[in-house]
Amino acid sequence: MTDRPWLTAVVPAAGIGSRMGATLPKQYLALGDQCILAHTLTRLLAHPAVEQVVVALAPHDVWFETLALAADPRILRVQGGSERAHSVLNALMVVESDWVMVHDAARPCITAGDIDRLIEVAMQGEGAILGSQVRDTMKRTNAAGEIVATVEREALWHALTPQMFPTQTLRRALEEGLALGAQITDEASAMERAGYRPRMVEGRADNLKVTRPEDLALASLYLRQQDAH
């Protein structure tokens, strides 16, 4: 074991969350006694395998400095980019651990159990991500909004976070994808494009991403339920 952290968490937090219709970025909206981002960082830092968290912030961010967690020496800040992939790549430039775990800023309900399972599977191969199996009937529509097909849901998953990969492998995959103008929707898509086959790990249904106003109440409920157990 070296003196370097063996697992670093990266949190891209440079987005504005326009769908929330709020006056500040969604990650800073109140969720109980803390903001969403503070809950997320607290959960990550509480896991014994996470020795450092790198947060990618927008250049004009004036809110992070007001958080109590901002003074935590385990948190390192970098400047985010125009897209998620750019923010993650900027963060990877300062990561020293062999493995990195990327997690959405607006997923405050991540549990230690999900992180444990992700780590176990990811380190057996080329990385892994948390996901949830599609349970609803899937439809494909045309430009007019008319249903043109029912899509077989067998083997379909919703991609969640965290997503965990070898640091340098993910860094190269992102660099190559961005250089070619590829559409990179998450870290796994960059790895897939580079020829890797990340594993899927089924995560908890309450690992909610706050994207709309009604999600705040649901996230608050989930956090209370988790804290009660």
Side-chain angles (χ1 to χ4, degrees), residues 205-227:
D206 56 5
N207 185 11
L208 170 76
K209 185 177 183 180
V210 178
T211 57
R212 300 183 184 277
E214 57 266 30
D215 295 334
L216 279 170
L218 196 54
S220 179
L221 173 64
Y222 287 157
L223 288 173
R224 290 198 303 272
Q225 289 177 336
Q226 291 173 0
D227 291 341

Side-chain angles (χ1 to χ4, degrees), residues 13 17 19 42 47 51 78-79 92 95 99 103 110-111 120 123 128 157 163 185 204 207 215 217 224 227:
R19 280 178 289 182
T42 298
H47 195 281
E51 296 193 24
V78 298
Q79 183 167 304
L92 291 177
V95 171
W99 287 86
H103 187 56
I110 182 62
T111 64
E120 181 181 359
M123 297 191 73
W157 293 73
Q163 303 192 358
T185 54
R204 291 170 56 118
N207 185 11
D215 295 334
R224 290 198 303 272
D227 291 341

Side-chain angles (χ1 to χ4, degrees), residues 8-126:
T8 301
V10 164
V11 179
I16 59 172
S18 57
R19 280 178 289 182
M20 291 295 292
T23 57
L24 73 167
K26 68 179 179 183
Q27 58 267 31
Y28 294 111
L29 293 176
L31 181 58
D33 59 350
Q34 298 187 91
C35 70
I36 295 171
L37 179 58
H39 280 287
T40 301
L41 296 176
T42 298
R43 290 290 179 102
L44 292 173
L45 288 168
H47 195 281
V50 178
E51 296 193 24
Q52 184 180 62
V53 178
V54 182
V55 185
L57 302 171
H60 56 272
D61 188 304
V62 297
W63 301 280
F64 188 83
E65 193 62 48
T66 67
L67 305 182
L69 277 170
D72 194 309
R74 296 171 295 172
I75 295 178
L76 184 63
R77 285 171 259 180
V78 298
Q79 183 167 304
S82 57
E83 301 291 340
R84 175 194 179 92
H86 295 97
S87 292
V88 172
L89 185 56
N90 286 353
L92 291 177
M93 297 299 184
V94 301
V95 171
E96 296 184 338
S97 57
D98 292 335
W99 287 86
V100 65
M101 186 172 67
V102 183
H103 187 56
D104 295 327
R107 287 191 192 273
C109 303
I110 182 62
T111 64
D114 268 7
I115 294 175
D116 287 340
R117 289 190 295 276
L118 177 68
I119 292 172
E120 181 181 359
V121 175
M123 297 191 73
Q124 292 174 2
E126 299 173 339

Side-chain angles (χ1 to χ4, degrees), residues 107-187:
R107 287 191 192 273
C109 303
I110 182 62
T111 64
D114 268 7
I115 294 175
D116 287 340
R117 289 190 295 276
L118 177 68
I119 292 172
E120 181 181 359
V121 175
M123 297 191 73
Q124 292 174 2
E126 299 173 339
I129 76 171
L130 286 182
S132 63
Q133 286 188 294
V134 171
R135 293 177 171 83
D136 300 315
T137 298
M138 303 294 289
K139 302 289 186 181
R140 179 175 287 112
T141 60
N142 60 19
E146 300 164 334
I147 296 173
V148 297
T150 298
V151 181
E152 176 56 54
R153 67 187 175 204
E154 188 73 23
L156 284 182
W157 293 73
H158 298 284
L160 310 177
T161 68
Q163 303 192 358
M164 181 174 163
F165 302 102
T167 303
Q168 295 308 317
T169 306
L170 177 58
R171 176 177 167 178
R172 287 192 298 271
L174 287 171
E175 287 174 336
E176 293 167 5
L178 289 172
L180 294 173
Q183 184 178 16
I184 300 174
T185 54
D186 65 354
E187 293 68 52

